[in-house]
Amino acid sequence: MTQLTSRTPTENTPTATAWDGPRLVGLARALDDGELVAYLHYVLVDPACQGRGIASGLIAQMKERFRNYLYLEVMPEESKNVTFFERQGFTLMQDGVAMQICNLSDKR
């Protein structure tokens, strides 16, 4: 049975973990400004354990942790994951666009 626990290494990097006995099978990490916006940086689940509700449980912990913030945001790196996050209560930002700088482009 997988147990969901919350461990916070520091106040600025809230982390939720999921364990199957001694084995780490899921991890979620957020970054926040302390009162207004939290950004769900990543949600990772061991591929062998996917489909067991682990990611949903990790997100539920983060939603609870940031329930008094105005925004909890996430930027799925793959468009196929958008529907998963919508099922967790996230909505597409009306005028939002993801942007990034990739510093590996000149190191190929």
Side-chain angles (χ1 to χ4, degrees), residues 33-46:
D33 65 4
E35 61 185 76
L36 182 66
V37 178
Y39 172 68
L40 192 52
H41 184 56
Y42 52 76
V43 178
L44 306 170
V45 175
D46 181 328

Side-chain angles (χ1 to χ4, degrees), residues 16-72:
T17 57
W19 298 84
D20 189 1
R23 190 168 142 249
L24 178 67
V25 296
L27 174 69
R29 180 172 180 238
L31 306 170
D32 70 280
D33 65 4
E35 61 185 76
L36 182 66
V37 178
Y39 172 68
L40 192 52
H41 184 56
Y42 52 76
V43 178
L44 306 170
V45 175
D46 181 328
C49 298
Q50 291 178 357
R52 294 173 31 189
I54 295 170
S56 297
L58 294 170
I59 291 171
Q61 288 184 49
M62 289 299 188
K63 286 168 60 175
E64 175 62 22
R65 165 68 173 82
F66 296 109
R67 69 185 178 279
N68 294 324
Y69 280 52
L70 184 59
Y71 296 108
L72 175 58

Side-chain angles (χ1 to χ4, degrees), residues 102-108:
C102 180
N103 292 317
L104 297 177
S105 63
D106 61 345
K107 298 176 182 165
R108 290 184 193 172

Side-chain angles (χ1 to χ4, degrees), residues 40 43 55-56 59 63 72-76 78-94:
L40 192 52
V43 178
S56 297
I59 291 171
K63 286 168 60 175
L72 175 58
E73 298 182 351
V74 65
M75 185 182 77
E78 297 177 358
S79 59
K80 69 179 183 178
N81 294 328
V82 169
T83 55
F84 168 77
F85 284 103
E86 287 177 331
R87 287 194 308 269
Q88 307 308 312
F90 290 87
T91 58
L92 291 172
M93 295 171 71
Q94 190 171 6

